[in-house]
Amino acid sequence: GIFAMAQLALGWEQEYGGGPELLPRMCVGALAVHQQLEDGKFNVVLTGVTRARLVQEWPEEQGRLYREIEAELLPDPMFDGPEEAQLRQAVVELTSRLPMEVAARLTKVTARLRGGAFVDVLASTLFSDIPRRYALLCELDVKKRMQRLLEEVSGVMTRLRPTRTDGFVN
């Protein structure tokens, strides 16, 4: 199955049961894992495929488990620029400042990714501040997204001291 994951607009907590506003950019992914819970809800894991822009939300229908929308797909163009090598170097430096298990997980998650997917997974992994992460992930220009993430990673590194001096991460 294909699933779109939208971010709810700030202040959604007061309107959660009533269908709060969706922010216009979202991730479209393939269901990698799904588990039905006893209460009928599901835990899901998505593998991101592309960005999308909300066009319209369809009216709610009784019995429908999820909100349904029409969306315009916003795929990343192929990217091959020096920014990716710079960002990868920054990630190597960052991993030297993280606990070993965190560094290993980050390296494993990002090792095979390229271009926009590399930036997206890295941003989702590193930043829990939802508005900052959302703003970064909304950037359609892969080069600009990489440059902004490189600035973010550099800022994080200035606040962290190396946690180990035992050489390579792996």
Side-chain angles (χ1 to χ4, degrees), residues 31-131:
L31 278 172
V33 177
H34 66 281
Q35 172 191 29
Q36 187 168 5
L37 304 175
E38 289 181 19
D39 64 1
K41 296 178 183 175
F42 287 85
N43 281 331
V44 298
V45 175
L46 292 181
T47 300
V49 175
T50 190
R51 283 173 175 62
R53 181 185 65 81
L54 175 67
V55 174
Q56 69 176 341
E57 184 169 358
W58 294 334
E60 189 175 331
E61 289 182 16
Q62 189 157 357
R64 189 185 299 161
L65 293 176
Y66 299 100
R67 296 164 73 173
E68 293 186 10
I69 61 160
E70 176 184 342
E72 172 191 8
L73 299 181
L74 304 168
D76 279 334
M78 294 299 292
F79 181 81
D80 184 26
E83 295 80 8
E84 184 166 343
Q86 293 168 342
L87 184 55
R88 285 190 184 280
Q89 181 60 42
V91 169
V92 168
E93 175 65 23
L94 177 63
T95 58
S96 74
R97 298 166 188 246
L98 297 172
M100 185 69 85
E101 62 278 357
V102 175
R105 218 172 28 246
L106 180 61
T107 301
K108 182 180 180 182
V109 167
T110 60
R112 292 192 174 105
L113 298 173
R114 299 285 176 260
F118 171 57
V119 179
D120 294 346
V121 168
L122 192 56
S124 294
T125 302
L126 293 177
F127 302 109
S128 59
D129 180 271
I130 293 172

Side-chain angles (χ1 to χ4, degrees), residues 6 54 91 153 158 166:
L54 175 67
V91 169
V153 169
T158 61
D166 57 353

